[in-house]
Every structure is written in C-alpha cells, then in structure tokens.
Amino acid sequence: MAETTLPAAIAATKPRSYWSRVVARFLKHRLAVIGLCFLTVMGLIVIIGPIVSPYDYDYQDFELIGMPSEFSQSHWLGTDELGRDALTRLIHGGRVSLAVGLAGAVIATLLGTLIGALSGFYRGWVDAVLMRFTDVVMSIPTLPLVLLLSGLFRPSPPLLVAIVGILIWMGTARLVRSQFLALREREFVEAARALGAGGARLMFRHILPNAIGPITVAATLAVGSAIMLESALSFLGFGIQPPVPTWGNLLNSASAWLAVAPWLAIPPGLCILCTVLAVNFVGDGLRDAMEPRE
C-alpha cells in the first residue's frame, strides 16, 4: 500500500516553477491586479477607439467653432474651441502618450541595462568611467536640456522618444550594476568561467537571466516616469506639437478655458494620473512577487 501511494504523494508535493510562484504572488497583490486590468482596458481603448470613432482627431465642426461646447449625444465629452471632438482627441492622445512612454522606457531599460552590465561585470576603470558618465548625465538639469534640444530640432515622436529614453536610464544602470556586482561572484558564474565561457557569454547567458526580475520591475516603473515626462514636456510646449494630440498638450490647450470649460482639462488629467498610478501599482506588485521579503 505504501509503495502505491508514494508516487502520488511525490506528485502532490512537486514544487511549482519560479514563474508560477511569481504569478501566484502577483495575483495576491490586489492593487497590482487592479492596475493591470486598468492598463489592459486603457490599451484596448486607445488601440480600438480611433478606429471606431466617427471623427478624426483633427475633424472640425464649423458650427461649434469659437467656444468649447458641453456634452451632447454627438460629442460625449464636448468639443474644444476649434470644434474638434474632445473624446476622439483624448483617445488618440492616449495612443500617442502611451506609445511614447513605452518606447522611451524600452530605450531607457536597454541603455541602462547595457551600461550597468558592463560596469558591474568588468569593474575597474570601466566601472569608474561608466559610473562617472552616469553621474554627469544625472547632474544635467532636465528642463534646460529639453529647451536646448527643442531649439535645435523640431519635436517629433521619434525625437521625443529618444529624449525620454536618454533622461531616465540612469536608475536602471545603477540597479543592474549592483546586481552584476553581486552575481559575478556566485558559484555558477565561476563554474562557467572555468569551463572557458567568455565575458559576453557570462554577462548575457549566465548573469543577465538571473537579474531579469529587478530589471523587469525597473522597466515597469520607467514606463510611469516616461509617461509623466512626456506629458510634462507636451504641457510646457516642448513635446509633440498640435494638432497631433497628446494628454500633455491637451492639458496645455485646455488651461486657457479652465474657468468656462473645465471638462476639457479633467479627462486628460485623470488619464495621466490613473495610468501612472496603475503602472506604479503593477511595478510594486512585480517587485513583491519577484523579490518576496519572507
């Protein structure tokens, strides 16, 4: 009897994989799950919304030009002073803002991971040079740099993505460096080195996969920073220029009508707030799931 029940007992106690445990811990984080659901719904809206909307983002209703109009059956969030549908522009602006934020965060994560990996693995003068370069970039004030770049080049989505990525990679680089400094001394790295693995193989085949958890968390949090930075730049007039809408320049254009048409400013402001909060909640949930304290 004992022999027949032993395999069943072993199967019942078979340990779960790392990622299954991560998913289980993430699902226990209620705010993270709510944030992920919100981001999923928001992503579907900004992807599908412009396709099903009866208006283009720059379509003008000439009967409504002059003053913002209130909600109606034809325009659920009203129109702006140029007779353009506010809901359509809000959805299209979300597509642009989220795309710029995601692309900027990807660039920042890749750049920060590369610099941090080289610095933490090779140490010595390589570490000194790269970390001093990181300190110099961190010390440059953001606004003067953006003013300079905006004066030299006409803001466009690719340029804005590059600016956002260049301005937020430093935190990821420091995090990856600390991970590589700790992991390069582990036994599995020493074993791979003894078997003849070169520097590139050690970094990207053995060490980097073991640092993917903190990098994933840093990348998630970078998305929120990138969205905030893009919105701030567009609000100040140094981001993507009208008539292409973004949440930031929608806030900028609505600021002149706050007294008479506050409904133009509230939706883009709430979208920025809720999206950044949701991204941060997801980042917190991933951090707790991938790096449990217990």
Side-chain angles (χ1 to χ4, degrees):
M1 176 66 73
E3 293 182 356
T4 59
T5 59
L6 184 59
I10 294 175
T13 59
K14 183 179 179 180
R16 294 184 296 174
S17 67
Y18 168 75
W19 289 108
S20 65
R21 295 196 303 271
V22 167
V23 172
R25 286 193 291 261
F26 180 84
L27 293 177
K28 293 179 181 179
H29 199 295
R30 188 169 301 176
L31 289 177
V33 174
I34 294 174
L36 182 60
C37 294
F38 175 85
L39 293 175
T40 302
V41 172
M42 180 64 72
L44 292 175
I45 289 174
V46 301
I47 292 172
I48 300 174
I51 300 174
V52 301
S53 174
Y55 308 104
D56 292 329
Y57 70 85
D58 57 352
Y59 169 79
Q60 292 179 271
D61 188 337
F62 292 103
E63 296 181 357
L64 300 175
I65 290 180
M67 284 286 293
S69 67
E70 297 183 357
F71 313 143
S72 66
Q73 292 184 350
S74 301
H75 304 284
W76 291 0
L77 292 182
T79 62
D80 62 10
E81 71 278 7
L82 298 178
R84 298 174 297 191
D85 183 66
L87 178 59
T88 300
R89 290 180 62 78
L90 179 70
I91 295 174
H92 196 282
R95 173 185 285 189
V96 176
S97 293
L98 292 178
V100 171
L102 287 171
V106 168
I107 290 177
T109 301
L110 293 176
L111 183 60
T113 299
L114 178 61
I115 292 177
L118 293 173
S119 178
F121 183 79
Y122 288 108
R123 299 189 297 185
W125 67 268
V126 175
D127 182 28
V129 170
L130 291 178
M131 285 300 100
R132 296 301 77 74
F133 172 69
T134 302
D135 293 338
V136 169
V137 176
M138 291 183 68
S139 67
I140 298 176
T142 301
L143 187 56
L145 177 60
V146 172
L147 288 171
L148 175 62
L149 294 176
S150 299
L152 294 175
F153 308 99
R154 186 180 185 276
S156 62
L159 176 60
L160 193 58
V161 166
I163 292 175
V164 170
I166 288 171
L167 292 178
I168 64 173
W169 61 267
M170 292 79 72
T172 302
R174 288 179 172 275
L175 175 65
V176 174
R177 173 182 176 269
S178 66
Q179 291 293 314
F180 268 65
L181 285 174
L183 291 171
R184 74 185 303 275
E185 306 298 336
R186 298 285 293 273
E187 291 80 2
F188 67 90
V189 177
E190 294 295 335
R193 185 181 288 112
L195 292 173
R201 182 175 178 82
L202 287 173
M203 281 193 294
F204 299 110
R205 178 67 180 84
H206 297 282
I207 300 179
L208 185 61
N210 288 278
I212 199 66
I215 293 174
T216 301
V217 175
T220 305
L221 297 177
V223 174
S225 300
I227 293 173
M228 282 293 295
L229 182 56
E230 183 281 326
S231 299
L233 295 180
S234 296
F235 177 78
L236 294 173
F238 303 123
I240 297 174
Q241 301 298 305
V244 178
T246 69
W247 287 340
N249 65 31
L250 287 177
L251 275 176
N252 186 15
S253 61
S255 61
W257 302 95
L258 282 177
V260 296
W263 60 83
L264 291 179
I266 293 174
L270 284 177
C271 285
I272 295 171
L273 174 64
C274 294
T275 301
V276 173
L277 281 177
V279 169
N280 288 336
F281 287 151
V282 171
D284 289 342
L286 286 175
R287 181 187 60 204
D288 294 341
M290 292 183 170
E291 301 175 2
R293 296 182 177 87
E294 64 273 7

